[in-house]
């Protein structure tokens, strides 16, 4: 830095060199006297020619410096100059201490005259090499500054423009000279101009350059926002004194836009990826709508809402939306990232809160989007927080299911073409997930109806048993599976208890369970032994697993269908897996308190006798149903009064968290207290064990033994003789009167007489009569004959054959079953309730017998 200059008389005196052009041009001077010899030799001449004054003064300049071949011409020029003529030219000169090398000097010779009138000359010498260097530097400077394709400014130390190039003037108008004296505030907004001015001041003070300073502004006459990259560096004089700051500006608007588009593309891809991961994780319609907004706000927009057709939410088979887009919708989700924005509603129109049912007017943009199935861009109202809203219909499988609105608040960037495409894609993805959820809900409800229709009622009743049951689906989202239990009333107040588990889950397992349960009920009505029931059920299961049979493959092969046999085998393998099942079938007789049980690959029942620990019944496990090849075995156990029998599926005791043995031990411990109410025991078991693992369905059936009281049973053996018919009537009358069932005496006597007569006429061995009183009156007639009675219509001329018709007309139900030593024919009468009278034959019923 230079010292502070002193002023005197308007003249500025400066102790340091001024840094002018003479700092760059090497200028020397010397003078020639009237005799043509050097009189004076300047210090600059000493530096330039390398010769001190003491060696040069008094010498002929031509002989001293010029080559010998040029000396004659040099002497003539000196003579002319001494005669008063000026001369300018390039003069070669010998370099000191150099053989054969010479330089060139531009010589300015001006004649002079002394006070005595003698003529001399003043010579000004400039090194040609320095001049050529300055010319080159000036040309380079002009190329950089004047011909540069970038805007170039030179700021002075007062931060005003000293010089501007043509490119800058092309952008900001006028001629380059017109910008002299301007500041950055004349070109930029206040905030950006302040940043630029601070950067200029910092560069001027510190000398540290600034690169890639990003500025945003507009050019005159062009409202589009432009982005510039500015480079600043300090400019010095030849002596190193700072004289200003140079600014090079590059328009990077295209690069910025390209980078922004790339960033937008990356953001959109990230949003789509996030949408794929987050939308549709739930099969709930409202949850799916909220998942869409979680992705869109604030990553894509500032406010958003989702409306779904009320018909879709109601689960209609088909979405009946009005063609004009004005059908009822419900606002199911809303999200906002604007702190001072509305808490409800988004987009144009009246404010709608979450849960409101509303319609869009026919001419509204939202109704137009719903009507056409295309996106509509809607500008915000004046004074509204929102500047643009995209109303996007949610279209799935060519069906509009609702509308999503994406809104951006004022101050955010407007929606572009990429944003519109992204909005459509987000709405489409959510629409497909919502439609899938709708279809799932519909199928799920059908599956639930099927499953619930196949399970017994919540409080099944049985003679001599107190029953409690529980069913838990493996997954609360499906609620359908292959586990089942059943309580089937059998003749003679006996009860069949069934628990089964079809391998697999979901609707197919539920359908298989329903088919097997129906088959069990059908077989139970035949009153077969438990092992026989499982044997027949095994054959049925194998038939269900092979619906086509072997002839189907042969037929397909004969028709020449390639791959028909292999395709059928693939389907057969799939179905056979579904129809593999385990099952426990038990028949309890409340009269004898004995229970016959058979097992088909299922976990053994648990028995808890009063005062004893729980134990698993020791019985043959058997093979699962559908496997075949091995007969089933059964056991018979006597159950004491108050004992507890529990049948269950493996989902209760088995999970990934613990082995089966551990679960079985925990089950035995949880069921060890049979004194509590049976419903409480069920709850205790489910609360104690890990039943919420969601891995498998759970079925639990508990029965507490309450045998028929001895005075509720009448049992007699009758000899095989005709008078046993009258004896049977007498015994039945006496027993009914003892039970205070006098209203049933006449009907019972008539029907007992018919059954005993048939046993004597068509049966074998002694006859046994048994009356059972519980919730109904049951009469059983046993004999050793194997021929089952068959009801038929008697001809008009027949004297008999109408007994079983009479039994069928007067009883609530009747039937026959095989026993180990013959058969049993039975009928059942409802107990009188004090208001209704016993059944009586009408005239039409009597005539129907003939």
């Amino acid at each position: 830095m230079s010292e502070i200059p002193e002023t005197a008389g308007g003249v500025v005196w400066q102790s340091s060199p001024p840094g002018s052009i003479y700092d760059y041009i090497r200028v020397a001077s010397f003078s020639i006297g009237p005799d043509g010899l050097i009189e004076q030799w300047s210090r600059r001449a000493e530096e330039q020619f390398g010769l001190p004054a003491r060696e040069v003064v008094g010498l002929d300049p031509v002989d001293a410096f010029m080559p010998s071949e040029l000396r004659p011409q040099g002497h003539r020029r000196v003579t002319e100059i001494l005669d008063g003529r000026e001369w300018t030219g390039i003069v070669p000169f010998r370099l000191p201490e150099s053989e054969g090398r010479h330089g060139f000097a531009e010589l300015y010779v001006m004649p002079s005259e002394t006070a005595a009138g003698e003529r001399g000359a003043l010579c000004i010498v400039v090194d040609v090499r320095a001049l050529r260097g300055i010319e080159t530097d000036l040309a380079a400077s002009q190329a950089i500054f004047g011909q540069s394709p970038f805007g170039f400014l030179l700021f002075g130390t007062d931060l005003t423009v000293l010089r501007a190039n043509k490119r800058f003037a092309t952008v900001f108008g006028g001629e380059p000279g017109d910008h002299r004296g301007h500041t950055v505030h004349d070109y930029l907004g206040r905030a950006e101009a302040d940043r630029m001015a601070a950067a200029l001041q910092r560069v001027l003070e510190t000398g540290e350059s600034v690169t890639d300073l990003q500025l945003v502004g507009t050019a005159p006459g062009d409202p589009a926002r432009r982005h510039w990259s500015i480079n600043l560096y300090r400019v010095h004089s030849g002596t190193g004194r700072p004289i200003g700051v140079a600014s090079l500006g590059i328009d990077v608007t295209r690069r910025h836009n390209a980078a922004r588009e790339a960033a937008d593309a990356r953001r959109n891809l990230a949003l789509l990826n996030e949408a794929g991961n987050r939308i549709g994780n739930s099969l709930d319609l409202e949850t799916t709508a909220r998942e869409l907004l979680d992705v869109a706000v604030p990553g894509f927009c500032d406010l958003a809402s989702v409306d779904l057709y009320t018909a879709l939410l109601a689960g209609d088979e088909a979405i009946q939306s009005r063609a004009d887009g004005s059908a009822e919708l419900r606002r199911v989700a809303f999200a906002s990232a604007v702190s001072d924005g509305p808490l409800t509603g988004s987009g144009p129109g009246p404010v709608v809160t979450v849960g409101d049912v509303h319609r869009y007017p026919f001419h509204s943009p939202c109704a137009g989007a719903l009507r056409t199935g295309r996106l509509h861009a809607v500008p915000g109202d004046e004074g509204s927080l929102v500047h643009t809203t995209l109303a996007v219909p949610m279209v799935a499988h060519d069906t509009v299911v609702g509308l999503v609105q994406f809104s951006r608040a004022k101050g955010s960037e407007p929606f572009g073409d990429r944003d519109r495409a992204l909005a459509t894609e987000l709405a489409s993805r959510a629409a497909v997930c919502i439609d899938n959820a709708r279809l799932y809900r519909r199928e799920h409800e059908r599956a639930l109806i099927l499953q619930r229709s196949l399970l017994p009622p919540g409080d099944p009743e049985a003679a001599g048993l107190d029953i409690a049951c529980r069913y838990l689906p493996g997954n609360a989202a499906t609620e359908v599976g292959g586990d089942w239990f059943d309580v089937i009333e059998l003749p003679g107040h006996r009860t069949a208890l069934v628990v089964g588990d079809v391998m697999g889950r979901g609707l197919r397992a539920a359908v298989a369970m329903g088919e097997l349960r129906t088959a069990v009920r059908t077989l139970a009505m035949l009153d077969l032994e438990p092992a026989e029931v499982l044997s027949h059920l095994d054959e049925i299961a194998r038939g269900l697993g092979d619906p086509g049979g072997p002839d189907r493959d042969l037929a397909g092969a004969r028709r020449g269908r390639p791959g028909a046999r292999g395709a059928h085998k693939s389907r057969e393998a799939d179905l056979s897996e579904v129809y593999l099942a385990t099952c426990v079938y038990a028949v309890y007789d409340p009269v004898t308190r004995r229970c016959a049980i058979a097992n088909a690959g299922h976990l053994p029942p648990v028995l808890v006798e009063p005062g004893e620990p729980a134990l698993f019944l020791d019985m043959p496990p058997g093979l699962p149903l559908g496997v075949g090849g091995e007969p089933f075995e059964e056991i018979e156990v006597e159950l004491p009064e108050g004992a507890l029998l529990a049948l269950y599926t493996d989902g209760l005791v088995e999970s990934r968290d613990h082995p089966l043995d551990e679960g079985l031990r925990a089950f035995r411990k949880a069921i060890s207290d049979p004194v509590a109410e049976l419903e409480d025991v069920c709850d205790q078991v489910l609360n104690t064990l890990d039943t919420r693992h969601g891995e498998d369905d759970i079925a639990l059936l508990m029965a507490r033994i309450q045998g028929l009281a001895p005075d509720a049973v009448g049992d007699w053996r009758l000899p095989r003789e005709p008078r046993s018919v009258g004896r049977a009537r007498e015994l039945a009358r006496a027993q009914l009167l003892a039970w205070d069932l006098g209203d049933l005496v006449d009907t019972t006597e008539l029907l007992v007489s018919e059954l005993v007569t048939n046993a004597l006429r068509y049966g074998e061995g002694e006859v046994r009569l048994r009356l059972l009183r519980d919730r109904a009156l049951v009469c059983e007639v046993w004999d050793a004959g194997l021929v089952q009675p068959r009801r038929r219509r008697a001809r008009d001329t027949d004297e008999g054959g109408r007994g079983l018709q009479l039994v069928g007309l007067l009883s609530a139900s009747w039937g026959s079953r095989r026993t180990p030593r013959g058969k049993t024919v039975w009928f059942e009468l409802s107990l009188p309730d004090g208001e209704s009278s016993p059944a009586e034959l009408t005239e039409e019923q009597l005539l129907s017998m003939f």
Side-chain angles (χ1 to χ4, degrees), residues 123-285:
C123 300
I124 304 298
V125 183
V126 178
D127 191 342
V128 174
R129 291 175 300 176
L131 288 176
R132 297 295 179 265
I134 291 175
E135 291 176 354
T136 302
D137 292 344
L138 288 175
S141 174
Q142 181 62 27
I144 294 174
F145 194 86
Q147 302 173 21
S148 172
F150 308 119
F152 206 109
L153 289 176
L154 180 60
F155 291 92
T157 55
D158 58 353
L159 302 186
T160 61
V161 176
L162 295 179
R163 186 178 179 185
N165 70 344
K166 188 174 183 179
R167 175 58 182 169
F168 182 86
T170 301
V171 175
F172 287 93
E175 295 297 327
D178 298 339
H179 296 276
R180 184 178 181 85
H182 289 186
T183 67
V184 291
H185 288 82
D186 296 323
Y187 306 107
L188 298 173
R190 181 174 180 179
E192 295 291 81
D194 289 345
R195 290 179 57 225
M196 178 71 171
L200 287 170
Q201 187 66 39
R202 187 168 59 255
V203 172
L204 185 62
E205 292 177 354
T206 65
E208 296 180 0
S209 301
V210 172
T211 59
D212 197 22
L213 173 64
Q214 296 291 319
L215 297 177
V216 179
T218 59
D222 186 2
R225 290 163 59 91
R226 293 196 181 187
H227 296 260
W228 291 287
S229 173
I230 306 298
N231 297 312
L232 304 176
Y233 58 92
R234 192 167 67 180
V235 180
H236 302 83
S237 67
T239 60
R241 182 174 60 88
I243 61 174
V245 178
S247 170
L248 178 65
I250 303 173
D251 191 333
V252 293
T253 304
R254 291 184 179 180
R255 186 176 69 187
H256 177 81
N257 292 339
R260 185 180 62 182
E261 289 182 2
D264 290 344
R266 288 192 297 270
R267 182 203 63 183
N268 292 352
L269 289 175
L271 280 174
L272 288 177
N273 182 60
E274 184 180 6
N277 293 331
R278 298 182 62 178
I279 300 177
N281 293 325
S282 170
L283 291 173
D284 180 74
L285 301 178

Side-chain angles (χ1 to χ4, degrees), residues 472-474 476 651 657 686-687 689-696 698:
L472 296 178
D657 299 331
L686 297 181
N687 293 332
L689 302 180
D690 179 18
T691 59
R692 300 295 177 181
H693 48 70
E695 297 172 11
D696 200 358
I698 294 174

Side-chain angles (χ1 to χ4, degrees), residues 440-464:
Y440 168 79
R441 176 184 289 182
R442 184 185 67 184
E443 298 302 322
H444 178 53
E445 289 176 353
R446 291 177 178 177
L448 286 181
I449 293 173
L450 171 64
Q451 176 113 14
R452 291 165 182 168
S453 67
L454 295 176
L455 293 174
D459 298 315
E461 297 181 354

Side-chain angles (χ1 to χ4, degrees), residues 17 19 47 90 193 195 233 485 504 521 568 589 654 689 790 807:
E47 295 175 0
I90 302 298
R195 290 179 57 225
Y233 58 92
F485 64 91
R521 280 190 161 264
H568 173 63
D589 188 342
E654 186 177 23
L689 302 180
R790 182 172 60 89
V807 173

Side-chain angles (χ1 to χ4, degrees), residues 384-503:
S384 171
L385 175 71
V386 174
H387 75 69
T388 309
T389 296
L390 300 181
V392 189
M394 306 178 73
V395 184
H397 309 114
D398 297 328
T399 302
V400 178
V401 299
L403 182 77
V404 57
Q405 298 181 63
F406 302 108
S407 301
R408 285 185 179 174
K410 292 180 179 178
S412 299
E413 291 188 2
F415 291 108
D417 293 337
R418 292 179 182 271
D419 295 326
R420 289 176 171 84
L422 177 62
T424 302
E425 179 65 21
L426 289 175
S428 176
R429 291 194 179 194
V432 171
C433 294
I434 287 176
D435 193 52
N436 290 340
R438 176 184 69 87
L439 296 175
Y440 168 79
R441 176 184 289 182
R442 184 185 67 184
E443 298 302 322
H444 178 53
E445 289 176 353
R446 291 177 178 177
L448 286 181
I449 293 173
L450 171 64
Q451 176 113 14
R452 291 165 182 168
S453 67
L454 295 176
L455 293 174
D459 298 315
E461 297 181 354
L465 292 175
D466 181 15
I467 296 178
C469 53
R470 295 289 188 275
Y471 175 80
L472 296 178
N475 190 327
T478 59
E479 295 190 10
V480 291
D483 288 14
W484 91 92
F485 64 91
D486 210 344
V487 179
I488 307 171
E489 294 188 64
L490 301 177
H493 286 317
R494 293 171 306 129
T495 303
L497 304 176
V498 188
V499 167
D501 183 0
V502 176
M503 295 183 184

Side-chain angles (χ1 to χ4, degrees), residues 102 125 128 248 260 295 303 309 341 353 392 404 431 488 546 664 699 757 770 840:
H102 58 271
V125 183
V128 174
L248 178 65
R260 185 180 62 182
V295 172
L303 303 95
Y309 280 118
T353 61
V392 189
V404 57
I488 307 171
D546 185 14
L664 291 173
T757 299
R770 189 167 76 165
E840 296 182 357

